[in-house]
């Protein structure tokens, strides 16, 4: 019944496609089908933005574990 309640919002074709996908994956629960339906409605991730050359690092920082150890061993006065 919960699958049919998604039809007014998502449309019959989208619900049917989610059911077909779930059955092909041998998932036989309404929760799985509703999850597939919800994932199909998520927007595509935004495209990557290229970093301008003026904002790239000229000198890559090096890790200094001794500096961290020095900060960790200090005792407050």
């Amino acid at each position: 019944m919960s699958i049919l309640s998604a039809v007014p919002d998502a449309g019959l074709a989208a619900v049917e496609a989610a059911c077909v996908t779930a059955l092909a994956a041998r998932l036989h629960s309404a929760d799985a089908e509703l999850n597939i339906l919800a994932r199909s409605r998520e927007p595509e991730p935004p495209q990557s933005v290229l970093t301008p050359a003026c904002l790239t690092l000229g000198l890559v920082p090096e890790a200094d574990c001794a500096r961290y150890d020095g900060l960790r061993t200090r005792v407050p006065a």
Side-chain angles (χ1 to χ4, degrees):
M1 185 68 174
S2 61
I3 298 168
L4 293 177
S5 66
V7 171
D9 292 332
L12 184 59
V15 172
E16 182 180 6
C19 291
V20 168
T21 303
L23 291 174
R26 296 181 175 241
L27 301 171
H28 304 288
S29 71
D31 290 335
E33 293 167 3
L34 292 173
N35 186 352
I36 292 169
L37 182 64
R39 286 187 290 139
S40 70
R41 289 187 291 205
E42 290 180 356
E44 293 292 322
Q47 293 182 352
S48 297
V49 177
L50 297 176
T51 305
C54 63
L55 295 179
T56 56
L57 290 175
L59 178 64
V60 179
E62 294 182 20
D64 186 3
C65 295
R67 183 175 176 211
Y68 172 75
D69 290 337
L71 292 172
R72 195 173 56 125
T73 57
R74 281 190 189 163
V75 179

